[in-house]
């Protein structure tokens, strides 16, 4: 269902597709840089020191999150310049897409690329060798990984709306809230294979972020009720 965001809300608009692809590219660059730094740190350290290696893994995850949010900010600045250019070129002095729509599409771009890489890693693990749960571990690895991938896609979408709103109105606490939520979700993955410790807080944060993003986008309880009742 997460990949349906693209099909039902973006696929028919060429401008939105361009913004989505650019957002996915920004996320990809942030992943490349963070992976490069983590790889150098691992190669420069003692591979026999398990405690150090675990610390480097935690550092790599946290650094990757911060770098992703830094690139989200850079992408916001780029889109803000793009809006000014579109307004200057338009005949009526209006942009063909609002900053709220850009925030949504950019968030989907970040989320889809994140989900795509998660699925690639999952499929690579599925090729073997070995069998999931053969040594008494949980056999729900693939199922929980799929649910975690879905929640990350939705979270990136909501985070994009919250982050852009914070930048647009200079509400830095909203940006800080996005960074903290991102760090919390990524850090909860270290609870695995106790999957309840990662999935439950992630879905609770997703619900909170969804309500927050809905309200910031101009939504209301009345509009939601009319939508659920299929009233125009």
């Amino acid at each position: 269902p997460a990949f349906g965001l693209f099909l039902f809300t973006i696929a028919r608009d060429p401008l939105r597709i361009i913004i989505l692809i650019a957002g996915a590219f920004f996320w990809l660059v942030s992943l490349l840089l963070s992976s490069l730094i983590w790889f150098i740190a691992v190669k420069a350290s003692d591979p026999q020191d398990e405690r150090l290696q675990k610390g480097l893994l935690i550092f790599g995850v946290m650094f990757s999150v911060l770098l992703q949010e830094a690139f989200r900010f850079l992408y916001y600045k780029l889109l803000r310049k793009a809006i000014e250019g579109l307004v200057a070129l338009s005949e009526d002095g209006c942009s063909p897409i609002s900053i709220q729509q850009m925030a949504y599409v950019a968030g989907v771009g970040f989320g889809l690329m994140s989900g795509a890489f998660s699925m690639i890693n999952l499929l690579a693990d599925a090729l073997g060798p070995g069998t999931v749960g053969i040594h008494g571990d949980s056999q729900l690895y693939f199922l929980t990984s799929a649910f975690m991938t879905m929640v990350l896609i939705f979270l990136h979408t909501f985070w994009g709306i919250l982050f852009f709103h914070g930048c647009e109105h200079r509400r830095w606490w909203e940006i800080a809230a996005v960074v903290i939520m991102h760090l919390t979700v990524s850090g909860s993955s270290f609870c695995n294979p106790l999957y309840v410790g990662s999935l439950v807080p992630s879905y609770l944060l997703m619900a909170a972020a969804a309500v927050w993003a809905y309200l910031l986008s101009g939504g209301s309880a009345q509009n939601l009720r009319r939508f659920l009742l299929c009233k125009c």
Side-chain angles (χ1 to χ4, degrees):
F3 288 95
L5 292 174
F6 170 75
L7 295 176
F8 295 112
T9 62
I10 298 174
R12 295 184 178 181
D13 191 326
L15 182 57
R16 293 185 182 184
I17 293 177
I18 294 173
I19 295 173
L20 180 138
I21 293 175
F25 175 76
F26 268 71
W27 186 91
L28 190 61
V29 173
S30 71
L31 177 66
L32 176 63
L33 292 178
S34 59
S35 300
L36 180 61
I37 293 174
W38 176 80
F39 178 78
I40 294 174
V42 169
K43 290 299 181 181
S45 61
D46 182 9
Q48 303 301 324
D49 191 339
E50 295 184 2
R51 186 176 180 180
L52 176 60
Q53 294 302 317
K54 184 176 181 180
L56 287 176
L57 179 61
I58 296 175
F59 162 77
V61 171
M62 299 299 110
F63 181 79
S64 176
V65 168
L66 296 176
L67 199 59
Q68 287 177 46
E69 297 307 327
F71 269 80
R72 198 193 302 272
F73 178 74
L74 291 176
Y75 192 41
Y76 162 78
K77 299 295 287 184
L78 178 65
L79 290 179
R80 207 67 190 84
K81 291 293 184 181
I83 287 182
E84 295 175 2
L86 291 173
V87 170
L89 293 174
S90 63
E91 296 180 356
D92 56 359
C94 297
S95 172
I97 185 170
S98 66
I99 189 65
Q100 291 85 0
Q101 292 173 333
M102 282 188 171
Y104 166 76
V105 177
V108 174
F110 270 62
L112 287 181
M113 184 56 69
S114 173
F117 265 79
S118 296
M119 290 301 297
I120 290 174
N121 292 332
L122 185 63
L123 293 175
D125 290 338
L127 294 176
T131 303
V132 175
I134 194 172
H135 294 297
D137 296 325
S138 174
Q139 298 183 1
L140 301 177
Y141 169 70
F142 293 112
L143 181 62
T144 53
S145 296
F147 276 102
M148 196 65 185
T149 299
M150 182 177 69
V151 75
L152 280 174
I153 294 175
F154 282 123
L155 277 172
H156 271 293
T157 302
F158 303 141
W159 287 338
I161 297 173
L162 298 176
F163 195 96
F164 277 43
H165 185 271
C167 293
E168 191 72 9
H169 298 276
R170 298 187 180 276
R171 296 181 179 178
W172 308 118
W173 61 271
E174 290 182 351
I175 299 175
V178 171
V179 175
I180 292 173
M181 283 191 288
H182 199 167
L183 287 171
T184 301
V185 172
S186 298
S188 67
S189 63
F190 292 107
C191 296
N192 297 334
L194 183 61
Y195 297 115
V196 175
S198 59
L199 283 177
V200 172
S202 297
Y203 272 84
L204 290 176
L205 283 175
M206 183 191 72
V211 173
W212 192 1
Y214 176 73
L215 294 176
L216 289 183
S217 301
S220 64
Q222 181 180 2
N223 292 339
L224 181 60
R225 184 169 56 252
R226 292 173 64 88
F227 170 76
L228 293 176
L229 296 176
C230 299
K231 294 182 178 180
C232 299

